[in-house]
Amino acid sequence: MAILEVEHLSKTFERTNVLKDISFSLEKGQVVSLIGSSGSGKTTCLRCLNFLERPDTGVIRVNGEVLFDAEDPVTAQESAIRKKRLHFGLVFQSFNLFPQYTALGNVTLASELLAKERPDYKVNRKAIHEEIEHKAQVLLAQMGLGDRMNNYPHQLSGGQCQRVAIARALALEPDILCFDEPTSALDPELTGEVLKVIRELAEQKRTMIIVTHEMAFARDVSSRVIFMDDGRILEEGTPQEVFENPKEDRTRQFLGRYTQ
């Protein structure tokens, strides 16, 4: 059974149709790359999956459970949205770290807030916080930041900040990890270190959706590639199918910019 099912998703901002009848699925352990020109709807698609935007139509299922159905207002209640977001870990283009917290504090913050809702929180507060901090330390060490845990964002490079953001997303153990052009805010020399981390996550069979303009990277790490154009899925398939034998003229034109 698919871990993620997206059916007939659409989204309009004022008079602009940004998403037009988007449907796709994702199996556990797969990496799907969303590619396409700027403005094609890729980021809006991720934001709808993370409930940062509310789709106008469509259904979103995770592990067979309906998280959102545009025809069922109950699934869109704000009180339930925060919990539904936990299924998705989103890594933004511009890091979105809290400047007043250290790298460690940024990674532990969400887990600490959620822990306060646990029925045993008052009794086991110290042990719970120690467990959260230890987990965050392990994640930061895996990101190559074991010696930077107590640094603040302004003391870190862009690549280091993005690795903190990845650790933060992983800390909540999401079913699906989403990346929204994770290298677009980085200098070229820092792009490689972030792509290396994502590549390692793919090798660990993490389920991921990646919006990217790094075509070589998408070709190497993806299980499937989805090409979006003007708010629609125009073509999808294996990396070999999409990159080596695209069926649509628009796909060929888009990929031609990166191969010339």
Side-chain angles (χ1 to χ4, degrees):
M1 184 175 67
I3 191 171
L4 172 67
E5 298 167 278
V6 177
E7 298 176 358
H8 307 296
L9 218 63
S10 68
K11 179 64 181 175
T12 299
F13 294 105
E14 296 180 352
R15 297 183 180 180
T16 303
N17 296 326
V18 181
L19 292 182
K20 304 171 184 177
D21 198 25
I22 298 293
S23 297
F24 67 94
S25 61
L26 181 62
E27 301 291 333
K28 186 173 182 179
Q30 281 190 328
V31 177
V32 169
S33 290
L34 302 184
I35 65 172
S37 301
S38 297
S40 60
K42 307 181 301 297
T43 292
T44 300
C45 183
L46 280 194
R47 289 178 65 84
C48 285
L49 293 179
N50 284 271
F51 303 101
L52 297 174
E53 303 289 351
R54 179 177 174 176
D56 300 321
T57 68
V59 177
I60 300 171
R61 295 187 186 90
V62 172
N63 292 319
E65 176 189 355
V66 175
L67 296 191
F68 176 83
D69 184 344
E71 296 184 358
D72 182 0
V74 174
T75 65
Q77 290 179 345
E78 192 63 34
S79 58
I81 292 299
R82 184 168 65 90
K83 191 171 183 179
K84 292 177 181 181
R85 283 192 185 123
L86 297 178
H87 291 284
F88 301 90
L90 179 58
V91 178
F92 297 88
Q93 297 179 27
S94 55
F95 324 139
N96 283 19
L97 299 181
F98 292 101
Q100 69 271 36
Y101 292 105
T102 63
L104 183 63
N106 268 281
V107 177
T108 62
L109 181 60
S111 297
E112 289 172 344
L113 292 173
L114 288 170
K116 293 179 180 179
E117 300 176 8
R118 290 175 48 167
D120 63 336
Y121 179 73
K122 290 184 178 180
V123 176
N124 297 317
R125 178 177 179 176
K126 182 179 179 181
I128 289 171
H129 279 274
E130 288 176 349
E131 180 182 352
I132 290 171
E133 184 168 313
H134 175 70
K135 181 179 179 180
Q137 290 171 340
V138 170
L139 285 170
L140 285 169
Q142 290 173 351
M143 296 296 120
L145 297 170
D147 60 343
R148 298 283 186 166
M149 296 184 189
N150 295 318
N151 287 60
Y152 290 86
H154 74 273
Q155 298 171 316
L156 301 172
S157 70
Q160 290 169 338
C161 284
Q162 193 62 295
R163 283 184 277 155
V164 173
I166 295 171
R168 177 179 60 185
L170 288 169
L172 295 177
E173 300 182 3
D175 293 300
I176 302 159
L177 195 58
C178 301
F179 294 88
D180 184 13
E181 298 189 23
T183 61
S184 65
L186 301 178
D187 294 332
E189 62 268 24
L190 298 177
T191 294
E193 64 186 55
V194 172
L195 294 182
K196 179 177 181 290
V197 169
I198 301 174
R199 191 184 299 272
E200 290 170 352
L201 293 173
E203 292 170 353
Q204 296 166 17
K205 300 299 182 183
R206 295 274 185 178
T207 308
M208 298 189 286
I209 302 174
I210 307 172
V211 171
T212 183
H213 285 289
E214 301 285 345
M215 295 299 109
F217 176 77
R219 184 175 56 237
D220 290 345
V221 306
S222 302
S223 310
R224 285 172 42 234
V225 176
I226 294 175
F227 173 65
M228 293 185 65
D229 183 62
D230 191 28
R232 295 184 174 90
I233 292 178
L234 195 62
E235 186 165 354
E236 65 177 300
T238 66
Q240 292 74 24
E241 290 169 339
V242 174
F243 286 102
E244 298 176 13
N245 190 30
K247 298 175 182 178
E248 301 290 335
D249 288 340
R250 284 289 297 121
T251 313
R252 287 192 287 271
Q253 292 169 9
F254 173 79
L255 292 175
R257 304 173 197 167
Y258 295 91
T259 57
Q260 291 175 351

